[in-house]
Amino acid sequence: SNSSSYAQAISDLKHCPQGALRLRCFLICTASEILAQCYSGSLVQKHTAKRTKRFWMSYGNCTQEDAEMLFQCRNAVIHNYGNFAWDSKNKRELRFRYGSYRKPIERKGTQVSVGVSQWQELLHAASERYAADVYSSDIRMENFLTVWRKLGIHRGGESAF
């Protein structure tokens, strides 16, 4: 394929059945992680948590707690298809449930509700804010290009976003 990993994830997300909640979450996580790499200018794996949470706080207007829960959801989705994640900072297991909730993410005790459509909308809004930032900031553009060149083919003239 001639399109970027990000464009493929977004295309798959658009064509994914509404009821495939965990699959949609997986694609949201993939797309947001690529954006976070572009934002930080780094593909180094060991900083994934920090840069992804920073991305959600900067462009998703998330609180630190919500950014942490979105990242924990990412861990759950990637490592055991969304059922639970170990929160090592607070020494507890978080349990996730997916559906039509008011917010993208909300924790009550160790139960975390994920509003998948709301999270998808948040990703879209965050990507638009990030894109605007890339075009108005030399350092953001430099970081973006550093990662984008390494991530794959980008058709000439086609918008990365």
Side-chain angles (χ1 to χ4, degrees), residues 32 35 39 52-63 66-67 70 104-105 118-119 121-130:
S32 64
L35 290 175
Y39 165 65
T52 303
K53 289 186 268 187
R54 233 180 238 158
F55 175 81
W56 283 120
M57 288 187 291
S58 297
Y59 297 103
N61 298 328
C62 290
T63 63
D66 285 352
L70 290 173
I105 198 113
Q118 290 77 4
W119 195 10
E121 287 169 21
L122 181 64
L123 171 67
H124 180 72
S127 70
E128 291 201 332
R129 286 186 205 108
Y130 172 64

Side-chain angles (χ1 to χ4, degrees), residues 69-87:
M69 288 304 106
L70 290 173
F71 190 75
Q72 291 292 346
C73 182
R74 170 251 187 226
N75 288 344
V77 167
I78 287 172
H79 298 298
N80 59 63
Y81 210 47
N83 297 320
F84 61 89
W86 178 252
D87 177 0

Side-chain angles (χ1 to χ4, degrees), residues 81-154:
Y81 210 47
N83 297 320
F84 61 89
W86 178 252
D87 177 0
S88 57
K89 195 162 80 176
N90 296 300
K91 309 277 187 272
R92 63 185 174 185
E93 186 178 274
L94 297 168
R95 290 270 168 189
F96 294 85
R97 59 185 182 188
Y98 304 85
S100 300
Y101 299 107
R102 217 168 35 83
K103 297 179 177 180
I105 198 113
E106 191 168 23
R107 182 184 62 80
K108 288 191 173 114
T110 58
Q111 298 295 311
V112 184
S113 301
V114 182
V116 180
S117 293
Q118 290 77 4
W119 195 10
Q120 189 170 339
E121 287 169 21
L122 181 64
L123 171 67
H124 180 72
S127 70
E128 291 201 332
R129 286 186 205 108
Y130 172 64
D133 211 10
V134 165
Y135 290 112
S136 66
S137 161
D138 288 345
I139 188 70
R140 290 282 167 254
M141 181 60 83
E142 192 177 315
N143 285 354
F144 170 78
L145 291 173
T146 297
V147 169
W148 204 255
R149 286 184 196 109
K150 294 175 186 171
L151 279 183
I153 302 162
H154 173 61

